[in-house]
Amino acid sequence: MATTTILVPLDGSRLGEAALPAALTLAAALPADLELVSVAEHDPMTAGWRLSSERVHEWFVGYLGDICDRIGEVSAVPISTKVLDGSVAERLEERAKLTGAGLIVMATHGRGPVSRAWLGSVADHVMRHVTFPVLLIRPDTDNGVSLDATPQFRRIVIALDGSERAEASLPWATRIGRAFHATYTLVRAVPPHFAPSPYLPHVIEETQGRLEEEATEAHAYVERVRTRLGSEERIVEGAVAVGVQPAAAIVRVAAEERADLIAIATHGRGGLGKLMLGSVADKVLRSATTPVLMIRSPTAP
């Protein structure tokens, strides 16, 4: 699984630049080249004035040039830039496919000086349509970032639901983890069962019995995966959350472990799956402050 290019979408904002430290650190560690991409939208507005696409394109060329100069002062990572024109989400998707990007690293929010606030909606589009792994960084400030910062990914939480599809996150999570000598925590949740009638003792007993059976199976499954990874990786631990909704369990464990990264598989365009895939990945992304690595799982035949 050779990584050749990490794609970083930038909208000209400080919030968008929040993705750069992680992208630079990963590019140096994996290793990989870095390509910075901006998109000049049609009919952009700034300060209430309509600008020509040519002016916006020219502005982004200068902006990316300045970013490259700043990066060159702190990093020797090979870097290139590309300014595209048109629909942001569509152009980014096309560029990722054209370059065969191994990974996309982007902030989840931003508002550029010559573009709409596009990173939020674009991150959503990319997550659902691009087949490449996407690392999403939530900015914690709009005061800018230090490009010589070196975020580490030494504690990685991997979300699982017992299915092979959810395990699509394992190769990329462990690839990144090896570069940082990471430890891993495998998380599987067993959601609560809601009895149709809480006043019937036998219904309560049956519901509790099913929950206990699923918890036993979940522990066995996590142990199997833990043992499998433990033969190759540094430290692998397991966590089973019983009676807890999956997204809440993942975010809680990540906070307790002070995780540097959450890895989770998602169906993307393929639709929603049970427990982990699809809707849960979306909830984790919106709830967690930890960077989230989204990996597209294979669709069902």
Side-chain angles (χ1 to χ4, degrees):
M1 186 171 53
T3 302
T4 56
T5 302
I6 294 177
L7 202 69
V8 184
L10 295 172
D11 68 348
S13 72
R14 290 180 176 179
L15 287 172
E17 292 170 17
L20 287 171
L24 286 166
T25 301
L26 286 168
L30 290 177
D33 297 341
L34 209 61
E35 180 171 278
L36 312 181
V37 180
S38 292
V39 181
E41 296 178 282
H42 294 155
D43 299 323
M45 297 284 290
T46 180
W49 294 90
R50 190 172 301 280
L51 301 177
S52 68
S53 297
E54 292 78 11
R55 288 281 301 277
V56 176
H57 188 106
E58 184 178 308
W59 186 90
F60 271 121
V61 169
Y63 166 71
L64 293 183
D66 290 341
I67 293 290
C68 285
D69 290 342
R70 290 167 53 197
I71 290 175
E73 296 176 359
V74 298
S75 173
V77 167
I79 188 168
S80 61
T81 64
K82 187 70 175 180
V83 179
L84 306 170
D85 299 282
S87 166
V88 176
E90 292 176 2
R91 296 292 88 79
L92 288 178
E93 182 179 353
E94 291 169 1
R95 187 64 185 173
K97 292 178 180 178
L98 181 64
T99 61
L103 177 68
I104 298 172
V105 181
M106 64 186 301
T108 55
H109 296 84
R111 179 184 290 275
V114 291
S115 65
R116 302 179 185 90
W118 58 261
L119 276 184
S121 60
V122 171
D124 184 72
H125 178 96
V126 167
M127 184 177 68
R128 298 179 188 282
H129 292 79
V130 173
T131 58
F132 307 102
V134 181
L135 175 60
L136 294 143
I137 309 292
R138 174 176 287 185
D140 59 2
T141 177
D142 62 357
N143 294 325
V145 297
S146 174
L147 294 181
D148 58 358
T150 55
Q152 302 295 297
F153 299 98
R154 293 189 174 130
R155 295 185 182 90
I156 300 177
V157 166
I158 303 174
L160 299 171
D161 70 355
S163 71
E164 291 185 4
R165 288 185 178 184
E167 292 177 21
S169 64
L170 291 173
W172 257 102
T174 53
R175 177 175 174 80
I176 291 175
R178 289 188 194 109
F180 296 91
H181 306 288
T183 60
Y184 309 86
T185 300
L186 311 177
V187 181
R188 183 175 175 189
V190 180
H193 285 273
F194 298 101
S197 176
Y199 301 104
L200 298 177
H202 73 280
V203 173
I204 296 175
E205 185 176 342
E206 290 175 1
T207 300
Q208 183 62 30
R210 287 198 302 271
L211 188 63
E212 291 175 357
E213 289 177 4
E214 291 179 10
T216 299
E217 189 280 329
H219 279 285
Y221 167 76
V222 168
E223 181 60 24
R224 289 195 300 272
V225 178
R226 191 192 69 79
T227 301
R228 191 173 80 212
L229 291 181
S231 63
E232 304 175 8
E233 306 303 334
R234 188 164 168 238
I235 299 176
V236 183
E237 300 176 344
V240 175
V242 180
V244 182
Q245 294 297 342
I250 296 162
V251 173
R252 186 187 71 189
V253 171
E256 292 173 348
E257 297 293 326
R258 298 184 179 180
D260 303 307
L261 181 68
I262 297 171
I264 186 168
T266 177
H267 276 183
R269 187 182 294 162
L272 304 181
K274 66 176 182 179
L275 298 186
M276 303 303 309
L277 304 176
S279 62
V280 172
D282 184 69
K283 291 176 183 176
V284 168
L285 177 61
R286 298 180 189 283
S287 301
T289 57
T290 305
V292 178
L293 177 66
M294 298 278 190
I295 295 95
R296 182 72 129 351
S297 68
T299 56

